[in-house]
Amino acid sequence: MPAPPQTDVVTLEPAEWEPLQAAHVARVDALLADHLERRRRREKHPVEDFLFTYYPTRPNQLRVWHPGPGIRLRGATQYEGRRGYLYCEGAAQLDPAEVSRRTDSISWILQLLAATADRQPQFGCFGLHEWAMVYKTEEIRHDWPLRLGPRGTDQVVESHKIACSHFDAFRFFTTPARPLNVLQPTREAQPALEQGGCLHANMDLYKWASKLMPFTPSALLLDCFELARDIRTLDMQASPYDFAALGYSPIEIETPAGKAAYAADQRSFARRARPLRLQLVDLCDQLLPA
């Protein structure tokens, strides 16, 4: 549901907003069912758990429906006392004071997302960031075998140009791998380097949507979540790990066919991510003072 401008507040009656809230909860429950069942069994999953370990948003937070700016919910007493909301005259809406308190954070997110949207996407990294994270080390991040073994993995890294532009991937490179990257990303340089072909930059749309809660409309948040989930699958298929036992067919990026398949998927995800990034840019613009 697109949010109207902040100055144009629309009041929804319970008969209007309750079905939207119910549909959101049903969508979240369907998305999280497998994860929650594994959690009950105390089972870890090296691919899908990433969305709940690396990113800070918990399942119970995802279940809370947020309508977004410019919308009042008549009789929505569940928002009374919830941070980021005001409940007055029998209706709940976002608290302008919370927007003011977070202006610096919103401005930084806007700067990053807008700069990324304006930059030409690049599709030649072939997922080698994951290989650089296990280069010449015995301390690998996942307790799963390497598809080519340690020596074969190192040879892939050494025989390719490593061109990772994403700081939060680069910071997990092993010490020997860092000098091999053509860029040396930093947090401060992130708005100058982030580009829309990067899998991690597109996965992180979920992070920025989460950080903008409760301002982010929940439909947009879940669209970003689903994008991140699907990208994570590609990221691990193209990684040096052997996840065949979990049903993941490897994308052999060390071969020409694997490179072509990876780049094609990367382009598809970039096309899917762009409208979500632009929606988040519009949300930040809507929240910030003119």
Side-chain angles (χ1 to χ4, degrees), residues 32-62:
L32 302 187
D34 290 344
H35 169 73
L36 294 177
E37 179 58 31
R38 283 193 304 270
R39 192 170 73 175
R40 281 190 287 271
R41 297 196 302 260
R42 298 182 182 274
E43 291 180 8
K44 294 184 177 181
H45 195 291
V47 179
E48 296 183 11
D49 285 352
F50 180 80
L51 295 179
F52 306 99
T53 55
Y54 179 76
Y55 295 115
T57 306
R58 304 275 72 86
N60 64 326
Q61 293 174 298
L62 281 177

Side-chain angles (χ1 to χ4, degrees), residues 122-128 161 163 262-263 266:
Q122 302 296 315
F123 303 104
C125 70
F126 304 121
L128 285 160
K161 181 177 77 170
Y262 180 89
Q266 195 177 22

Side-chain angles (χ1 to χ4, degrees), residues 46-96:
V47 179
E48 296 183 11
D49 285 352
F50 180 80
L51 295 179
F52 306 99
T53 55
Y54 179 76
Y55 295 115
T57 306
R58 304 275 72 86
N60 64 326
Q61 293 174 298
L62 281 177
R63 294 184 89 249
V64 178
W65 177 63
H66 300 291
I71 298 176
R72 298 173 75 242
L73 304 176
R74 182 82 66 194
T77 56
Q78 67 269 35
Y79 295 95
E80 189 169 9
R82 180 178 288 277
R83 186 168 185 172
Y85 280 91
L86 287 175
Y87 190 87
C88 59
E89 299 181 354
Q93 68 182 68
L94 291 172
D95 185 357

